[in-house]
Amino acid sequence: MELEKHYNNRTGWLRAAVLGANDGIISTTSLVIGIAAASDTRSPILLAALAGLVAGSLSMAAGEYVSVSSQADIEKADLEREKTELDTMPEMELKELAKIYVAQGLDEDLAMQVAIQFTEKDALAAHARDELGINEITQPKPLEAALASGASFISGGILPFLVAFFAPIQSMVFYQYGFAIVFLALSGTIAAKAGGSNVIKAVIRICFWGTVAMVVTASAGYIFGAKTG
């Protein structure tokens, strides 16, 4: 019998990768569109796109590392508190674990038996999983998330940078937007395939909100003659 295929073990890195790639596409494209609206030459456009690409990738990586590290610190503190409670009040913690299983549908006797067996095997792991919702799959990995986020930002941002390098100056805005939608659709498709979700829904969502983000941020270039991404 073939085992079911699940995708929740990809949640951590996939979220960071999708966020990074989409941010790279949208922010770099918006930056180029805004600068292109105020410049007749290619040099400032390329310089702004490159600066945004480097700064954005480093910012995404640093931000993701700090964010996920904070989550890891919180989970570690929760585990330490749970460990102390298991050492000082094991009977109360056993009853608490049994109540969790009762709430999930087991009768009280069976719930207590399950709680006892899990406690005998690994009490901390049982409470971490069923009381705190912490397990190996959802465990935060700061370095992995930071690398995925930074690298994916570069992979997304390099695409509008290349468009800025080759597209005609006079039609730069239209080329940037057109290719950005294609890139976003491709990103949404890859993310949906990797996560086992609906491709069409993912593509529509990312293209719609990507368009909104680009229009709003790129408008500054037309209004003020400059663009900040």
Side-chain angles (χ1 to χ4, degrees), residues 26-190:
I26 294 171
S27 63
T28 307
T29 299
S30 298
L31 183 61
V32 170
I33 289 176
I35 297 298
S39 176
D40 295 327
T41 59
R42 194 180 301 274
S43 296
I45 297 175
L46 292 176
L47 181 59
L50 182 60
L53 185 60
V54 174
S57 62
L58 294 177
S59 176
M60 285 291 294
E64 193 71 19
Y65 185 85
V66 171
S67 175
V68 178
S69 293
S70 298
Q71 180 185 348
D73 291 341
I74 293 172
E75 291 191 2
K76 184 178 179 180
D78 283 340
L79 289 174
E80 288 297 327
R81 281 191 294 269
E82 196 64 34
K83 186 177 180 180
T84 300
E85 291 173 357
L86 286 169
D87 291 337
T88 57
M89 51 184 76
E91 292 184 2
M92 186 177 295
E93 288 297 302
L94 180 63
K95 292 178 181 179
E96 185 178 27
L97 193 60
K99 286 182 180 180
I100 293 173
Y101 300 139
V102 170
Q104 293 177 352
L106 300 182
D107 61 59
E108 292 185 3
D109 292 336
L110 181 56
M112 181 57 72
Q113 293 178 33
V114 172
I116 291 173
Q117 290 189 30
F118 278 148
T119 299
E120 290 176 348
K121 182 179 180 180
D122 191 334
L124 184 59
H127 283 270
R129 180 185 64 247
D130 298 321
E131 182 182 349
L132 303 177
I134 299 173
N135 56 59
E136 291 184 0
I137 293 177
T138 60
Q139 186 178 10
K141 300 177 178 63
L143 185 58
E144 179 184 283
L147 292 175
S149 184
S152 59
F153 185 97
I154 294 176
S155 68
I158 197 68
L159 299 175
F161 175 79
L162 292 175
V163 175
F165 194 84
F166 292 106
I169 293 294
Q170 296 79 5
S171 307
M172 180 66 70
V173 172
F174 301 103
Y175 273 93
Q176 284 291 336
Y177 176 74
F179 276 101
I181 291 299
V182 173
F183 298 149
L184 288 172
L186 180 61
S187 172
T189 300
I190 294 173

